[in-house]
Each structure stands twice: as C-alpha cells, then as structure tokens.
Amino acid sequence: MISIIVPVYNTAPYLPQCLDSLVNQTYRDIEIICVNDGSTDNSPDILKAYAERDSRILVIHQENLGLSGARNKGLESARGEWVMFVDSDDWIGTDCCKTLLSHTDKQTDVCLFSYIREFANQSFPQYLFSDKKMVYQGSSIHWLYARLIAPNDQELRLPGKIDSLSTAWGKLYKTSLIKEHGLRFVPVRQIGTEDLLFNVYYFTWVKKAIYLPDLFYHYRKNNITSLTKLYKPHLTEQWNLLFRLIEEWITPLHREDLEKALTYRRALSLIGQGLNITFSPVSFMKQHGALSAILSSHEYRTSIRQLPMNYFPIHWRLFFEMARFRSTTGVLCLLKLIKFKIAYCTDSICYAGGIQRVTIAKANKLALKNEVWIIVTDNKDKPVFPLSTKVHLVNCDINYFEDDWKSRFYILKGIIYKRKQHKKRLKEILNQIQPDIVISTGTSEKNFLPYLSVSSHPVFIREIHSNKNYRSLHAQSVFDKLLAILGDFIDYRIHLKKYDRTVVLTKEDKVVHWGKNTEVDVCVIPNPIISFGSKKASLINKKVIAVGRSAFPKNFSSLISAWKYVIERHADWTLEIWGEGELRTELEEQIRNNQLTNNIFLKGYTYDIFSPLYEASIFTLTSLFEGLPLVIIEAMSCGVPVVSYACPCGPQDIIADGHDGFLVPVNNEKVLADRICRLIEDKELRKEMGKAARLKAEQYDIKNIIPMWMELFNQLINEKRK
C-alpha cells in the first residue's frame, strides 16, 4: 500500500484536480490522507464530498500549523509500506503509483521522479538528471546524497538548480525508514525550507535509490513578482539555522563529500540572500550593512574561498570574486544589475488596441526588475495607455501608416524603401541597446527581425496575438483566400522557424493548428488581465452585455438575432453592445427592422470596460473566431458568468462548460438564447457560475502570467549559453 499525504490549506480552486488525480490512480491499493490545516475557504467541504465517495480517503482536521505540521500529522496516520507527499494545489499522473512500484524491489529505499512546472497555460518539463532510468547503490548513493545538499563541479554552471532534488514531493519514501528513525519535518518558519532537512535526515539510511525520468508530478508554479512579497525579512537567520542543523547532522558521519556539499550550499546561498536584501524596502545603506554582515562572517568567508570558480558563467564568477574580497558595494550593485534586457518590437502604442494594451502592461510589469524597451515604427501621439517611466520608448520613425501608403505607389515606397529603412534603423537600435531578448509583437518587423545581425546574440521570440488561421478566417473572396495561403506559407513555413520560440495564446491553437508544424517551436502563454480588483458584479441588474468592434469577426448580427428569442421569455431584460466599427450602421438597421430598439443598445467605445461589466449580470460572446478573447476573462474577473460561442480559439481554453460558463456551437442562436435564459431564470446558478468564473480568471492575473514569461526567458537564455 502507498500512503499519499496531502496537506490542505485554502486551495479550493485546485483541490478537485489534485484529488481526482489520486482517486483515479491505476494502482488501487492506496490510502489518501488529507490533512486540513485550518482552511478558511470551502476546502473542508470538498474534502468531505470526496471522502463520502471514496473510502480510501481519510480527512484529518487541525488548527493551522503550516505545511510541516500537516505533513507530520499525516505521517502519524500512514499505514502503507510507502509514503508519498502531494501538495493540494498540485497533481500527479494517473499511472504514477503503478509505474513507481513496478521499478522498486525489497532493497529500494526511495524512488525519485521528474516533474513539470505548470503555469496557467504553459508547462515546463524538469528532468532531475536525464531522460534515462538510473539506479544508485554503493558509492553512487554517496554522490546522490551530496548532490541532494548542493550541486557540484559541472553542475555549478547552473547554480539555479540548487534545489532540484530537495523537494519532499516527487519521491516515494519507505515508511519503515521514516518511522524507525522518528523523522519529522521542521517548520519552514524556523529554517526557511522544510523539505531539504527532511531529505538530509532520510538519505542517511538510504542504500538503494531509483531515479525515473517520468514526468509524473505536476507542480503548480504561481510566482508573484511583487517585491514586497518576494522579500523575506528573516531569511538569513532561517538559513543559518538550517545550515547549522545540517552540519550537526553530517559531522558525526565523517563524510568529506557531504561537508564539501554543505560548503557549496552555504556559498551559493549568497545569491538568494543577496537578492532577498535587494528586495527589502529599506535604503541602499541599510541593504549594504545587511550584506556586509553576511560577507564578513567566518562561515561565509570560508565557504566562498573553497568554491571552484572555473565552472561558473562569467557573471556569477564575478559575483563570487567580489564576495571573496568582501566588496559589498560591488556585490550589491551587481545583484541590482542581474536583470534581462528586453526589447519589444511593435508597430505603435498610440492606438487603442488589444496588442497595445497588453504590450504596455507586460512591459510595465517586467520593468520592475528588468531593463525594458519598446521599439515602434509609428508613434505620432502619446501612448494610449499609461506607460511606466521605467520603460524606454524608442521610435524608428518609419511611419508605415502615413497617408502616402494610400497612393498607387505604396508598394514600391512602403515595402521596398521603408522596409529597407526600418531594417537599418532597428539593427542600429538593437546593437546600441544590446538586449538579451527581442520580442516581435507587430507586423512590420516579424519577417526580418530574426535575420538581423545583433552583436549581443539575443534570443528572438515571436508573439502571435491571433489564431494561426486568422488570414483564411478573415478572407471572404477567392482572391483573399489565395493571399491568405501565400501569407501563411511565407510567414509560418519560412520566417517563423528562424525564431527561438513562438508564443501563441491558447492550447487549442497550439494543439489543433500548430501541432503538425514541427519546424516551429511553439509554446502557450495567454494574455493577462491587467487589473484584478476586489470588486464584484452584483448580478441583480436585468442586463446582458457584449463587447467588441462592430466588425465581421465579432458576429453581432447573430447575437441580435438570438435576442429575439430571449425577449420572448424575458422582455424586461436588455442587451448592451459596447464598441465601435464599420458595421455599426448595419447593426442599427437590423435592430430597427426587428423592432428591438427598446431592448438592444449600441453603447459605443469606452476606455473603462469594467464599469459596464460590474453592472451586468451575464456576458456573451458570439465571435466567429478569436485569438484569445481577453474580454471573456475580464468579465469572469468581475464575477460575471459567460455564454459564448465555442469558436476558434480561446473560449474552450477559458470556459469549463456548465461550471463557470456556457459554450454554444457557433451560430446556434436558439441554444445561445436558451443558455442566456437559463441564467436569467436561475439566480442561484448565476451566482455559482459567477463565483467559479472569478476563480478561473485568477489564473490570468498578470501577477501569474509574468512569471511564465520569466521562466521562458531563463530557459531560452540558458539554452543559448549552452
């Protein structure tokens, strides 16, 4: 039997996915010990419901003692031969237990396996060692034990991998070793990280370990970029206690390899401690004093002197050399300079469009810890959305959108002359900036950007803010369709493969449309919600709203037709359509012809879409196609349930049909009307869906999307350095 211990604290949005992954294991001889650690949300109700359905689930309630206290409580009740820890916001593959047991024998003391870092719409596989099975016995166990404490030799090239082995999850432990030696977790409040010390204790008695490359564990990564949340005021004291406890434990073992590993870990911790100090909300002088105290201590001076510098990349070698000579100012300044240089290339940010809004928002957020430039071709006016003073705005002054484009010679002048001018100026600017990362979000630079010779050898990324087939979906004539085929071939089959990574907005787009194009390296990072406040819609007003341009793709004529069926049952409800566009006159005529002037209102454009959303009770989207309809997520963030056509692409990524909204086949106006009426008639359903919608929208909060970009930057930069 395997005992799976699940500490639970306020993880209601993610808990069902975690529990589903456990109860659906193909290996059935398991017990699931859920320790509710004083949750204040509805996690206890979820646990109760699952326990009533599956007798293998044991629920234990206790006051909040933290992660360590919850795990220790679970260990007291564990009856299985093996123990596994799964955090309640994570999940495991359904074949995890079966596969792990199939590779163990009576001599096996622990089985390690790889994991995936999971963001809202992007996954990053993390192999502990390689993609091959490994068995550790004898001297190799000694190496594994030391590696658990800290990277060594060649692995020092990537100091960020220091904790890749130290987690309690991602391992299958032998229960008898834990209980025989009375092993328990020390609270994180005391030592900063509870998992490492537990493993240091446990591996003392490990004689045989198995490593499997299988990516069974799914680790939900929701990093927060806020400096106040990154700062930990007691980190140095906690880590010093951790190192002391490890030293006290390993000294009697008389193992030079373990002592060397601890030396390396203490020295490498200067990176984390130093960065933590730079995040502190105090003056430079106080930060200087705190760092100086660390660099002056005997333990750290000794550790740094023993660190092999030859393995490190140049920037970390410089860091530790400065630390060795106790150049506090140099170390502190270098830490403040550890940032990416990011250059966004786009057409303009002076127009009120979705790309402009998202680009500015991401640039503002990234500029908190990085150097960020936005390089545009056309910017006659000020940015339409607030731009941080930390973001550098550079105008190539190409002006593709000038009136001369409308002349009969626009192809000769625009495509030949202006494009040549654009290439020259952009290359000059990039060589002056020396960026690490260059991102194309516009249309004018996308097909030549990765060919530019930039001396800093940056990573080139292409952002695509529409679905892959947008050209053909827009095409309404044979000639337009032929142009679409040609444009797709040039763009996707020739130029796009020159980029280091292509970022699309939805899983649907990647799987359905990009899956067959193996020449292009595609990943998914959705656009973020810029603002996620505490305010929620009351859902009491008799009002449904839609938002978008009055244009062919938004398909508002279908919505107007569907509304005829709605008012047959609910004549006192109104529909507001917010947005402007070329089809406004036609829509007004359709409304008049169907005698809906008292029921449907075309409200025009607004810079503040949240005000109407807070007044709405239902949001609807009837698009024929989308890239990622951010307005759906914005509506859900206000707690407004959504009824949407299941068009490509986006709605099916965002909405769980029947849970946080409704999905309707495209242009099925009667079903659309029926789903709207269901929400009108059932107030409780409206409230429950609104609540679930808001929880879903949190995944798209910019504080959760930016770490996805940082993870991608780190990955690509490391690949480039290799």
Side-chain angles (χ1 to χ4, degrees):
M1 180 190 285
I2 298 177
S3 298
I4 304 176
I5 297 173
V6 185
V8 179
Y9 179 72
N10 289 351
T11 52
Y14 314 114
L15 187 54
Q17 184 178 18
C18 174
L19 296 175
D20 286 341
S21 76
L22 303 182
V23 299
N24 293 321
Q25 287 294 302
T26 53
Y27 181 79
R28 306 297 296 172
D29 190 15
I30 62 174
E31 64 172 0
I32 304 165
I33 305 170
C34 299
V35 183
N36 173 38
D37 193 42
S39 296
T40 56
D41 63 358
N42 65 327
S43 293
D45 297 332
I46 297 172
L47 293 173
K48 181 182 178 183
Y50 272 82
E52 289 173 351
R53 295 199 301 266
D54 196 317
S55 60
R56 298 173 300 168
I57 298 177
L58 170 66
V59 180
I60 301 171
H61 300 278
Q62 67 176 27
E63 295 182 1
N64 182 248
L65 297 176
L67 182 60
S68 294
R71 286 175 174 170
N72 290 338
K73 191 69 174 179
L75 284 172
E76 292 175 7
S77 301
R79 297 179 294 114
E81 182 185 355
W82 299 93
V83 169
M84 180 190 298
F85 299 98
V86 178
D87 291 348
S88 58
D89 55 348
D90 301 333
W91 71 98
I92 60 175
T94 53
D95 288 331
C96 178
C97 293
K98 182 179 180 180
T99 304
L100 296 180
L101 285 181
S102 70
H103 288 275
T104 61
D105 54 31
K106 291 183 179 179
Q107 285 73 46
T108 305
D109 296 312
V110 66
C111 188
L112 305 87
F113 50 99
S114 296
Y115 68 100
I116 302 174
R117 291 184 180 180
E118 298 283 1
F119 291 91
N121 282 284
Q122 176 65 4
S123 304
F124 294 93
Q126 303 290 314
Y127 294 97
L128 301 184
F129 301 113
S130 69
D131 58 356
K132 307 275 188 206
K133 176 184 175 181
M134 297 180 184
V135 180
Y136 298 92
Q137 289 179 292
S139 61
S140 62
I141 277 289
H142 289 187
W143 177 89
L144 183 63
Y145 193 179
R147 174 59 188 85
L148 180 80
I149 298 173
N152 50 53
D153 300 335
Q154 293 286 343
E155 287 190 322
L156 291 172
R157 297 182 187 277
L158 296 171
K161 294 188 68 174
I162 187 170
D163 286 321
S164 61
L165 281 180
S166 65
T167 60
W169 48 259
K171 294 177 180 66
L172 187 68
Y173 298 95
K174 185 171 283 185
T175 309
S176 59
L177 281 184
I178 296 174
K179 296 199 171 185
E180 181 183 347
H181 300 285
L183 303 183
R184 292 294 184 267
F185 289 89
V186 177
V188 67
R189 301 182 183 104
Q190 297 181 30
I191 59 174
T193 173
E194 62 278 287
D195 291 10
L196 173 61
L197 189 61
F198 179 85
N199 281 310
V200 168
Y201 292 160
Y202 183 86
F203 272 76
T204 306
W205 292 281
V206 172
K207 295 180 180 178
K208 181 179 179 181
I210 307 290
Y211 163 70
L212 300 178
D214 303 76
L215 299 162
F216 284 133
Y217 197 92
H218 297 262
Y219 170 53
R220 197 182 300 273
K221 187 85 170 170
N222 286 324
N223 291 341
I224 309 298
T225 56
S226 166
L227 298 187
T228 57
K229 294 187 179 181
L230 285 173
Y231 176 59
K232 300 173 182 174
H234 306 295
L235 184 66
T236 297
E237 293 90 335
Q238 291 168 340
W239 283 5
N240 284 340
L241 176 58
L242 171 66
F243 300 150
R244 188 160 65 250
L245 291 172
I246 294 175
E247 186 175 25
E248 290 173 357
W249 184 265
I250 66 174
T251 298
L253 302 178
H254 304 291
R255 291 266 304 272
E256 290 185 6
D257 57 335
L258 299 182
E259 293 172 1
K260 184 175 80 169
L262 179 57
T263 296
Y264 288 178
R265 185 163 192 109
R266 183 181 278 112
L268 291 171
S269 77
L270 284 172
I271 299 173
Q273 293 186 66
L275 287 170
N276 186 60
I277 289 170
T278 66
F279 296 149
S280 63
V282 298
S283 66
F284 181 87
M285 292 306 298
K286 288 185 178 180
Q287 291 180 0
H288 188 282
L291 185 58
S292 179
I294 298 171
L295 296 179
S296 300
S297 69
H298 172 74
E299 291 85 357
Y300 287 99
R301 284 190 284 123
T302 303
S303 298
I304 296 168
R305 282 198 296 269
Q306 297 181 39
L307 203 60
M309 301 291 180
N310 56 302
Y311 295 111
F312 289 109
I314 184 66
H315 59 291
W316 289 125
R317 193 180 304 176
L318 178 61
F319 171 88
F320 285 112
E321 288 290 357
M322 286 181 176
R324 178 180 289 178
F325 291 101
R326 283 185 276 173
S327 176
T328 305
T329 301
V331 171
L332 194 57
C333 290
L334 188 61
L335 285 167
K336 289 180 177 292
L337 290 172
I338 295 175
K339 59 182 70 174
F340 292 124
K341 292 184 178 181
I342 305 164
Y344 282 96
C345 300
T346 192
D347 302 323
S348 173
I349 57 172
C350 65
Y351 303 107
I355 294 175
Q356 289 77 13
R357 181 161 59 125
V358 168
T359 300
I360 289 174
K362 290 188 297 187
N364 288 345
K365 201 72 172 178
L366 288 167
L368 294 173
K369 282 291 292 176
N370 304 278
E371 295 182 32
V372 181
W373 285 260
I374 298 178
I375 307 169
V376 299
T377 60
D378 297 68
N379 242 48
K380 294 296 186 182
D381 301 309
K382 294 180 179 179
V384 68
F385 301 105
L387 185 67
S388 169
T389 55
K390 294 180 180 290
V391 178
H392 309 279
L393 180 60
V394 182
N395 191 358
C396 292
D397 202 27
I398 306 301
N399 302 313
Y400 284 113
F401 303 149
E402 284 183 336
D403 291 338
D404 55 50
W405 267 78
K406 298 176 183 179
S407 74
R408 67 181 59 184
F409 302 108
Y410 79 93
I411 295 178
L412 181 64
K413 184 176 181 180
I415 294 181
I416 298 178
Y417 172 72
K418 287 197 171 184
R419 185 61 52 84
K420 183 178 179 181
Q421 194 181 33
H422 187 188
K423 287 181 182 179
K424 180 182 177 183
R425 291 183 185 175
L426 186 55
K427 180 181 176 181
E428 290 173 351
I429 292 167
L430 292 175
N431 276 310
Q432 185 177 0
I433 293 172
Q434 293 287 292
D436 302 300
I437 297 127
V438 181
I439 305 170
S440 169
T441 69
T443 57
S444 55
E445 79 289 328
K446 64 181 182 181
N447 287 344
F448 69 76
L449 181 62
Y451 299 94
L452 295 181
S453 178
V454 183
S455 57
S456 61
H457 303 292
V459 167
F460 288 100
I461 298 173
R462 171 84 179 278
E463 280 188 47
I464 297 181
H465 286 258
S466 56
N467 70 63
K468 185 172 182 279
N469 296 335
Y470 79 97
R471 289 189 180 92
S472 59
L473 291 170
H474 270 282
Q476 299 183 53
S477 67
V478 174
F479 181 71
D480 288 341
K481 289 180 180 178
L482 290 173
L483 285 180
I485 294 170
L486 178 62
D488 285 353
F489 179 81
I490 294 172
D491 198 0
Y492 303 148
R493 295 292 177 180
I494 298 176
H495 300 304
L496 202 60
K497 61 185 180 183
K498 297 295 182 180
Y499 284 88
D500 295 285
R501 194 63 49 88
T502 296
V503 177
V504 300
L505 300 178
T506 66
K507 287 183 179 179
E508 179 187 356
D509 193 25
K510 179 183 178 180
V511 173
V512 177
H513 300 143
W514 290 94
K516 297 180 181 179
N517 192 343
T518 57
E519 295 179 330
V520 180
D521 196 351
V522 177
C523 70
V524 180
I525 303 180
N527 282 335
I529 302 175
I530 313 306
S531 174
F532 199 100
S534 58
K535 189 176 179 182
K536 303 176 191 176
S538 64
L539 306 183
I540 60 174
N541 297 318
K542 297 180 178 182
K543 185 187 295 183
V544 178
I545 75 164
V547 177
R549 288 179 61 247
S550 300
F552 159 71
K554 300 304 179 183
N555 198 25
F556 286 137
S557 62
S558 179
L559 175 58
I560 293 170
S561 297
W563 197 252
K564 291 187 296 182
Y565 300 110
V566 175
I567 64 168
E568 288 176 3
R569 295 161 61 177
H570 302 283
D572 53 341
W573 278 66
T574 60
L575 169 66
E576 293 182 355
I577 300 176
W578 290 81
E580 287 289 354
E582 59 271 19
L583 297 183
R584 181 183 176 103
T585 302
E586 293 181 22
L587 296 177
E588 287 174 337
E589 185 178 353
Q590 184 184 359
I591 292 169
R592 283 195 303 270
N593 291 341
N594 286 277
Q595 299 178 347
L596 296 171
T597 53
N598 294 324
N599 302 94
I600 301 177
F601 304 93
L602 303 183
K603 303 294 289 187
Y605 183 80
T606 177
Y607 281 95
D608 178 21
I609 193 57
F610 284 96
S611 292
L613 284 172
Y614 289 132
E615 294 297 314
S617 293
I618 302 167
F619 180 87
T620 186
L621 183 134
T622 53
S623 296
L624 296 170
F625 53 88
E626 290 278 356
L628 176 75
L630 199 61
V631 67
I632 286 182
I633 306 169
E634 290 170 334
M636 295 171 80
S637 76
C638 299
V640 179
V642 177
V643 181
S644 173
Y645 281 163
C647 67
C649 290
Q652 296 175 82
D653 263 40
I654 304 166
I655 298 171
D657 186 37
H659 176 63
D660 46 36
F662 286 119
L663 291 170
V664 176
V666 175
N667 284 333
N668 196 325
E669 293 161 3
K670 288 187 177 180
V671 175
L672 178 72
D674 178 71
R675 298 296 185 269
I676 292 173
C677 288
R678 278 182 63 181
L679 289 173
I680 290 174
E681 294 158 5
D682 193 334
K683 294 180 182 178
E684 288 303 313
L685 177 63
R686 205 157 69 227
K687 284 183 182 179
E688 287 300 313
M689 275 198 172
K691 185 178 178 181
R694 184 170 168 83
L695 287 173
K696 175 65 72 64
E698 286 183 9
Q699 298 179 20
Y700 297 87
D701 193 332
I702 194 167
K703 71 183 182 184
N704 294 325
I705 300 300
I706 289 298
M708 297 171 63
W709 281 103
M710 293 302 296
E711 185 84 7
L712 178 62
F713 296 160
N714 275 303
Q715 184 183 38
L716 294 177
I717 291 291
N718 285 332
E719 289 175 2
K720 199 84 158 180
R721 285 170 179 166
K722 289 178 183 178

